[in-house]
Amino acid sequence: MNTFLKIFNFFLLIAFLSFSACGEVEDPDNVIVAPQGMTVSLTWTNDAVNPALATDLDLYIRKDFRTLVQSSKFSSFEELSITPGILNDDTYSIEIGVHEITKITNYTLTFTGKSTGKVYKRNFGPVNANDRYSTLKPFSLTVTGTKFNIF
């Protein structure tokens, strides 16, 4: 009887651990599900007193060389708002246009779900004067309904 009880308790423990391990699977860090859309922010740092004045980087979302959404402010950091319906279900490139640059610069792209607050952030660089008038393509973005997959 003692052996039967040990075997029964062992199987009971295995069943309990199996059921408690089952739960809602979280999306990876680079996937944001946000019914109200998301924002994409581009910021940068360099040794200038005001980095936004010393460097001009622009932010674009493009498909087949067509610009669909852009932020191209002069003398400030960039931010895009992607609201439901602005992009069809498809894959897009996220691009950074390097315009004015006089200092070695590192930049950060931050993706934030509007309704969830989930943040995915990546740092890049350095870029410098040799990169002036170039286009950097650090990410692709796949949109499926309210799901944004950044890769």
Side-chain angles (χ1 to χ4, degrees):
M1 184 70 169
N2 193 15
T3 304
F4 175 75
L5 190 56
K6 286 181 183 178
I7 292 172
F8 177 76
N9 286 338
F10 174 75
F11 282 112
L12 187 63
L13 177 65
I14 295 297
F16 173 75
L17 291 175
S18 296
F19 284 116
S20 38
C22 295
E24 192 173 319
V25 178
E26 289 189 29
D27 289 316
D29 290 344
N30 66 316
V31 175
I32 295 177
V33 178
Q36 295 177 0
M38 74 172 180
T39 58
V40 183
S41 301
L42 171 63
T43 58
W44 53 89
T45 58
N46 53 41
D47 65 359
V49 174
N50 186 340
L53 291 175
T55 302
D56 182 27
L57 303 178
D58 293 336
L59 180 59
Y60 307 97
I61 295 180
R62 292 186 170 138
K63 176 71 179 169
D64 299 328
F65 303 103
R66 286 188 349 241
T67 299
L68 304 173
V69 185
Q70 73 179 33
S71 177
S72 54
K73 297 178 246 171
F74 187 73
S75 302
S76 69
F77 298 132
E78 307 294 341
E79 184 172 283
L80 297 175
S81 178
I82 302 171
T83 55
I86 200 168
L87 297 175
N88 295 325
D89 289 1
D90 209 337
T91 300
Y92 304 89
S93 64
I94 296 175
E95 301 180 11
I96 296 165
V98 181
H99 296 287
E100 293 299 322
I101 187 164
T102 59
K103 306 272 187 182
I104 295 174
T105 300
N106 294 300
Y107 65 95
T108 301
L109 277 168
T110 305
F111 303 84
T112 306
K114 288 183 179 183
S115 53
T116 62
K118 182 176 179 181
V119 174
Y120 180 63
K121 181 186 284 193
R122 291 289 306 272
N123 300 311
F124 297 92
V127 292
N128 58 43
N130 293 333
D131 297 306
R132 189 173 186 195
Y133 303 122
S134 66
T135 300
L136 310 172
K137 298 180 182 182
F139 282 115
S140 290
L141 171 69
T142 297
V143 177
T144 309
T146 59
K147 183 176 186 176
F148 305 92
N149 186 359
I150 305 135
F151 59 98

